[in-house]
Amino acid sequence: MITGELKNKVDKLWEMFWTGGLTNPLDVIEQITYLMFIRDLDQTDNTRQKESGMLGIPYTSMFAGKEHLKWSVLRDKPAEAMYQTMQVEVFPFIKELNGNSGTYAKYMADAIFKVPTPQLLEKIVTSLDDMYTYIEQLPDKQDARGDLYEYMLSKLSTAGTNGQFRTPRHIIRMMVELLDLQPNDTICDPACGTSGFLVAAGEYLKEHYLEEIFYNKDAKAHYDNEMFTGYDMDRTMLRIGAMNMMTHGIQNPQIIYKDSLSDQNTDTGKYTKILANPPFKGSLDYDIVSTDLLKMTKTKKTELLFLALFLRMLKNGGRCASIVPDGVLFGSSKAHKDIRREIVENHRLEAIISMPSGVFKPYAGVSTAVIVFTKTGAGGTDKVWFYDMQSDGYSLDDKRTQLDSSDIPDIVARYHALDAEESRERTEQSFLVPKDEIVGNDYDLSINKYKQSAYVEEEYPHPLKIMTEINELEMEITAGLAELEAVLRG
């Protein structure tokens, strides 16, 4: 998380856009992302040239014959000339890269330059250079760059279309820690948005398996190219998501334009881990949904179809942590019951973590839960762990002020020591429920179905004693009023 001077630099950059007339946070992020990419192209090209020179390998610069489009040349031009070159030459140039410069470049075809004036562009370019120079001086410059981008994404304070909204970073981190990621995992988010889950997964692996991944050529290649896959149908989000991953040091993530629920997505038994917060946008038409998903649960509801999709995409033994709306847990329709029965009977349902409705404010006030399960194809559900999260460490109003306490550390610790949960009572914050009881309740997975209220016996005084005390108080009041009247009469 960035603080101090770097945070102030980002806030000032944001204010430049705002006062310059660009007030949509998504537009601001997108324009900054374009400019970061253009600057990175120059740096990448220079690095490749140096490496080729050292190795004696021929290298043709991507800027061959177009050196005037390099960031290092552009930034020194007068404002008018810089603006004209950016608009007329640089943007057409990056659109033509067509994936020749990494994952991000694949989604440049519809890039639009929206900076309104030359003067604003000059200020932005200077500000970005200033930020990069500052970051280069930091000991953990790669982490700082990733944190900078995450901080900019945190300014997306409006809900997206089709039920999309950013998942709070601490909730993402909790879900990542529940899945116990490994260096050989293949991880997917079929509704990746800004790639927050994939970024957090990469950071977790970097923290826990630094030597196993980063000092092993094959493991590092897997980490950079094959480990992370994300699908989305919003090209703006794909650009932002790809840049988010690259700023966090993942060189070539598989961030792909794809409708996950349609026949476009043929992934079957491919991933070892899935992390997701899929959009809950109501109903889809049957004809745009993959037929094999409808066989598992005949429904138009995206929240149910995504659960069926996760089961199809996972390898046997693969695990999933996904956010679901509460309705998934207790819905009474045949489709709701079918998908819950499928997970409980044919796979291994492990945990339901009920979250308070304020977790997604200011985006939405929906009540949600985290569901954790393993694909087995042969059952395995024994006891399901329920946790009633009361606090995620932030106030549950629109301000989301940070608090001193949070249930998240307790959730992670208890989940990784479930044997100790056997003795927990249903009146406590977490407890285990046997599969048979869940089956007997028609596969209802809402925590309120199983949690018991703790009643504390209270003893109250006899009514006559209370009446006596009231009379005594009235007498005191009457006496006091009489004294006050006497003083006033002199």
Side-chain angles (χ1 to χ4, degrees):
M1 184 173 179
I2 68 168
T3 54
E5 190 171 346
L6 188 55
K7 182 176 180 290
N8 291 336
K9 289 178 188 294
V10 177
D11 291 341
K12 285 178 183 176
L13 176 62
W14 202 270
E15 191 177 340
M16 287 176 197
F17 278 98
W18 188 268
T19 56
L22 212 62
T23 56
N24 183 333
L26 199 56
D27 284 341
V28 175
I29 287 286
E30 192 171 30
Q31 295 302 302
I32 293 173
T33 300
Y34 292 148
L35 295 171
M36 288 174 71
F37 176 64
I38 292 163
R39 192 186 190 284
D40 286 348
L41 278 180
D42 189 352
Q43 194 170 39
T44 301
D45 190 64
N46 290 338
T47 301
R48 287 177 182 169
Q49 281 185 325
K50 288 177 184 175
E51 288 174 350
S52 298
M54 289 171 63
L55 298 170
I57 301 170
Y59 174 73
T60 302
S61 168
M62 68 180 80
F63 292 99
K66 298 181 179 180
E67 284 78 8
H68 63 293
L69 303 185
K70 283 190 166 191
W71 179 275
S72 53
V73 177
L74 273 172
R75 67 185 178 193
D76 295 328
K77 290 189 174 195
E80 290 285 351
M82 184 198 302
Y83 190 82
Q84 188 72 10
T85 305
M86 188 73 75
Q87 192 172 43
V88 177
E89 296 188 71
V90 175
F91 264 65
F93 169 70
I94 60 176
K95 287 182 183 186
E96 292 166 4
L97 289 172
N98 194 26
N100 292 329
S101 185
T103 298
Y104 181 83
K106 289 189 286 191
Y107 304 109
M108 295 302 295
D110 54 353
I112 301 171
F113 182 57
K114 292 185 179 179
V115 178
T117 66
Q119 290 72 29
L120 179 58
L121 177 63
E122 186 177 46
K123 287 181 181 177
I124 293 166
V125 167
T126 302
S127 179
L128 273 175
D129 261 344
D130 185 36
M131 279 196 292
Y132 271 86
T133 301
Y134 181 82
I135 288 171
E136 285 297 318
Q137 296 169 354
L138 298 175
D140 54 348
K141 56 187 176 184
Q142 186 61 57
D143 288 345
R145 191 171 172 216
D147 287 346
L148 177 148
Y149 201 74
E150 278 289 321
Y151 176 63
M152 288 195 289
L153 289 178
S154 73
K155 291 178 176 288
L156 292 177
S157 59
T158 54
T161 56
N162 297 330
Q164 295 173 338
F165 41 83
R166 258 177 62 77
T167 311
R169 199 174 181 187
H170 58 287
I171 299 296
I172 291 175
R173 178 68 188 201
M174 176 189 78
M175 292 167 66
V176 167
E177 291 186 357
L178 294 177
L179 285 195
D180 189 27
L181 304 181
Q182 301 294 315
N184 60 346
D185 272 328
T186 47
I187 305 165
C188 182
D189 179 353
C192 65
T194 62
S195 296
F197 281 101
L198 300 177
V199 164
E203 295 295 288
Y204 175 91
L205 288 163
K206 192 185 295 182
E207 290 170 20
H208 290 81
Y209 300 102
L210 185 67
E211 290 189 12
E212 292 90 331
I213 294 173
F214 291 86
Y215 297 109
N216 181 304
K217 183 180 177 182
D218 292 338
K220 182 65 165 66
H222 175 65
Y223 181 89
D224 281 333
N225 301 290
E226 298 155 5
M227 180 179 280
F228 305 101
T229 299
Y231 298 146
D232 208 281
M233 292 177 63
D234 185 327
R235 295 182 73 87
T236 297
M237 286 298 170
L238 287 168
R239 279 193 289 268
I240 291 171
M243 177 59 77
N244 193 17
M245 296 203 73
M246 288 188 287
T247 57
H248 283 85
I250 300 163
Q251 293 179 11
N252 189 35
Q254 300 303 302
I255 305 299
I256 299 165
Y257 181 86
K258 189 177 287 188
D259 180 352
S260 291
L261 295 175
S262 74
D263 288 325
Q264 286 182 338
N265 181 8
T266 58
D267 291 350
T268 303
K270 187 175 179 181
Y271 303 101
T272 61
K273 299 291 188 328
I274 286 179
L275 289 150
N277 179 13
F280 315 135
K281 59 181 178 181
S283 299
L284 297 174
D285 292 332
Y286 283 134
D287 58 359
I288 65 172
V289 178
S290 178
T291 52
D292 58 349
L293 299 182
L294 294 173
K295 288 177 185 176
M296 191 180 299
T297 176
K298 190 170 177 58
T299 181
K300 297 179 180 180
K301 291 188 174 295
T302 56
E303 57 265 37
L304 304 182
L305 291 166
F306 267 104
L307 286 174
L309 176 70
F310 300 155
L311 288 170
R312 192 192 76 192
M313 293 174 71
L314 283 169
K315 293 181 177 181
N316 276 341
R319 302 179 66 219
C320 171
S322 175
I323 293 171
V324 295
D326 272 2
V328 167
L329 306 178
F330 58 77
S332 58
S333 74
K334 183 178 184 301
H336 281 88
K337 292 177 184 177
D338 283 349
I339 194 64
R340 295 199 300 262
R341 182 186 297 110
E342 173 69 23
I343 295 172
V344 171
E345 295 291 355
N346 297 328
H347 305 281
R348 187 168 72 242
L349 177 60
E350 297 165 15
I352 301 290
I353 299 162
S354 176
M355 298 192 291
S357 58
V359 164
F360 287 100
K361 285 186 176 182
Y363 308 112
V366 293
S367 293
T368 57
V370 174
I371 184 169
V372 184
F373 60 85
T374 299
K375 177 180 178 177
T376 66
T381 303
D382 178 19
K383 294 181 179 179
V384 179
W385 185 64
F386 286 82
Y387 194 105
D388 186 12
M389 182 196 290
Q390 299 294 320
S391 171
D392 68 332
Y394 294 82
S395 63
L396 299 174
D397 54 18
D398 285 352
K399 292 182 180 179
R400 297 290 279 150
T401 308
Q402 190 164 0
L403 305 174
D404 292 333
S405 62
S406 166
D407 288 337
I408 290 178
D410 187 54
I411 290 170
V412 174
R414 289 186 179 279
Y415 178 78
H416 290 299
L418 289 182
D419 288 346
E421 297 291 288
E422 291 281 357
S423 59
R424 300 272 281 180
E425 299 292 334
R426 297 284 178 91
T427 53
E428 298 184 76
Q429 214 166 345
S430 65
F431 50 85
L432 291 164
V433 176
K435 175 192 169 184
D436 290 347
E437 188 176 346
I438 291 170
V439 174
N441 280 308
D442 217 3
Y443 300 96
D444 191 317
L445 297 175
S446 57
I447 193 167
N448 292 332
K449 194 75 176 177
Y450 306 101
K451 189 173 174 63
Q452 297 172 357
S453 298
Y455 296 104
V456 179
E457 186 176 346
E458 292 281 354
E459 289 189 7
Y460 296 98
H462 191 279
L464 286 176
K465 184 178 181 182
I466 294 173
M467 288 298 296
T468 302
E469 290 176 355
I470 292 172
N471 286 330
E472 288 174 355
L473 287 171
E474 286 183 344
M475 290 170 64
E476 288 178 16
I477 292 169
T478 301
L481 287 171
E483 287 179 19
L484 179 60
E485 185 179 1
V487 170
L488 292 173
R489 289 180 182 277

